[in-house]
Amino acid sequence: MTTNDLPRWATAVALPLLNLLSALLVAALVIHLLGEDPVESMHILINSAVVNPEGLSYTLFYASTFVFTGLAVSLAMHAGLFNIGAEGQMYLGGLGITIAMLAFDATLPWYLLIPAGMLGAALFGALWAFVPGYLQAKRGSHIVVTTIMFNYIASQLMNFVIVKFLIPAGEQNTASRVFSQAAEMPRLSDWFPVLGDTPLNVSFFLAIIALVIYGVMVSRSSWGYKLRAVGLNKHAAHYAGVKISAMIVVTMLISGALAGLGAVNSIMGSTHYLSLNFVGGAGFIGIAIALMGRQHPVGIFLSAVLFGALTQGGFDLSLEKPNIPPEMVIFIQGLIILFCGAMEYLYAPVLAKLLKGKQA
């Protein structure tokens, strides 16, 4: 049995789990070198992010954003495109929300205002992804290079727009004004008081709906079949009648829209204003989620929850363990990307040999 002949459960479940455990073992070694107990540190992290109801609420809040960025990267991957631009697309999604809010939050009721903000987020995110998609489809410009460039352009553009046009007169904070109460996404703590005063909101359910739609579109539709055909073999897909250029552009538009929608949870569900660094690396975390989740909706959800738990638990861990810096969370995320991305088939030969011996 070769690594290409591994059963689906091995590639979809066993390998990601082995890679995750390897990343955590390396992180445990580093924590030990920092002079702290890895087992106690893991206990603090799990208790803060999962066991405590308020901590779990924050974990799911972060996961709601990560699901959208993970979906954005995953959808592009199915077409053979490595969209590293979810960070910039989410930035522009936040700008789309803000423009809609500043224009209509004083006049529209909440049931029209919230959809308007979501539409603005999706539209601006899609438009920001259009140019890299077009350049890839029509000019052969590599999507990795253009999306990285557009991340930098987006951050600088946001800085200019906020400072030049959005800061209220007399304010020093680099942020827009606070939106009206009608623009706030309903919080789940209003219905489930046990969650405490946390920002977890209905964006969590929107993320679940997005996962279901993604799964159906990719695996159960003719468009999804064409999408995966382009990702597997562009030449074969072309001879089968698929318009490659159109598929690339449309895929990037949808990918950008999903990344833009990631801003809904952060802005309309939490801060209620546009700030300079509201993305906080969520676009790059989406890359790790797509790799670890193997572009499957269930895998994306579980990976998003894992990274949400790392974000929430890592904050409390750094407070209780002074020797562990807050950057440890970023380090662990990097390890997961390393093992689940660049070294994703590290254990495949060993697993193939074990399965072959079991069948003999």
Side-chain angles (χ1 to χ4, degrees):
M1 177 181 291
T2 65
T3 57
N4 293 329
D5 298 326
L6 285 173
R8 184 173 178 82
W9 66 265
T11 57
V13 179
L15 287 180
L17 283 178
L18 289 171
N19 292 329
L20 174 61
L21 288 174
S22 299
L24 293 178
L25 284 173
V26 175
L29 176 61
V30 173
I31 291 174
H32 176 72
L33 294 175
L34 290 173
E36 299 289 354
D37 183 1
V39 176
E40 183 183 357
S41 299
M42 183 60 67
H43 179 267
I44 293 172
L45 193 150
I46 293 175
N47 185 68
S48 171
V50 179
V51 177
N52 181 276
E54 186 172 334
L56 178 61
S57 179
Y58 273 102
T59 293
L60 297 180
F61 167 72
Y62 296 127
S64 301
T65 298
F66 297 158
V67 163
F68 282 104
T69 56
L71 285 173
V73 179
S74 295
L75 185 73
M77 281 184 171
H78 279 295
L81 305 170
F82 201 8
N83 177 18
I84 305 184
E87 189 88 356
Q89 292 147 20
M90 186 172 164
Y91 261 129
L92 267 291
L95 181 60
I97 291 173
T98 303
I99 291 175
M101 294 302 104
L102 296 182
F104 302 115
D105 69 346
T107 56
L108 291 182
W110 68 268
Y111 54 84
L112 294 178
L113 190 60
I114 290 176
M118 295 174 61
L119 180 61
L123 180 62
F124 273 61
L127 290 176
W128 199 248
F130 169 76
V131 176
Y134 177 84
L135 292 174
Q136 169 78 42
K138 299 296 186 180
R139 295 291 182 266
S141 302
H142 203 287
I143 201 76
V144 171
V145 177
T146 53
T147 50
I148 288 177
M149 291 170 58
F150 268 58
N151 282 338
Y152 178 77
I153 295 172
S155 66
Q156 298 304 309
L157 177 64
M158 288 292 289
N159 185 41
F160 170 76
V161 171
I162 292 176
V163 172
K164 185 72 174 179
F165 301 108
L166 298 182
I167 296 180
E171 295 289 335
Q172 299 296 321
N173 187 28
T174 52
S176 69
R177 68 164 174 83
V178 177
F179 307 146
S180 70
Q181 190 173 0
E184 298 180 7
M185 299 290 281
R187 294 194 173 187
L188 299 190
S189 59
D190 295 337
W191 306 324
F192 307 102
V194 69
L195 297 176
D197 186 18
T198 63
L200 180 64
N201 58 84
V202 296
S203 295
F204 175 72
F205 298 125
L206 296 178
I208 300 298
I209 294 171
L211 283 166
V212 173
I213 295 174
Y214 164 86
V216 172
M217 288 296 296
V218 170
S219 303
R220 296 289 185 269
S221 71
S222 59
W223 182 84
Y225 178 81
K226 295 176 183 178
L227 172 75
R228 288 179 283 120
V230 170
L232 291 171
N233 192 319
K234 286 185 174 62
H235 298 292
H238 172 72
Y239 283 112
V242 180
K243 296 180 179 179
I244 306 300
S245 297
M247 181 59 72
I248 290 174
V249 172
V250 171
T251 300
M252 284 302 296
L253 284 171
I254 300 174
S255 177
L258 287 168
L261 285 170
V264 172
N265 182 54
S266 300
I267 294 179
M268 297 174 65
S270 178
T271 62
H272 309 125
Y273 60 84
L274 178 68
S275 58
L276 187 58
N277 297 313
F278 80 93
V279 177
F284 296 119
I285 291 175
I287 299 172
I289 290 170
L291 291 171
M292 186 175 177
R294 299 297 176 112
Q295 299 93 60
H296 190 279
V298 176
I300 293 170
F301 175 76
L302 294 177
S303 300
V305 172
L306 170 65
F307 278 87
L310 286 174
T311 303
Q312 167 60 20
F315 177 74
D316 283 0
L317 181 62
S318 63
L319 290 178
E320 295 195 31
K321 297 290 184 180
N323 289 337
I324 301 178
E327 291 77 15
M328 176 58 69
V329 174
I330 301 175
F331 175 71
I332 297 175
Q333 291 171 355
L335 287 174
I336 293 174
I337 294 174
L338 174 65
F339 280 97
C340 294
M343 303 169 64
E344 62 176 328
Y345 291 107
L346 176 66
Y347 297 104
V350 176
L351 195 56
K353 186 177 295 185
L354 288 174
L355 292 176
K356 183 179 180 180
K358 188 175 181 179
Q359 293 174 357

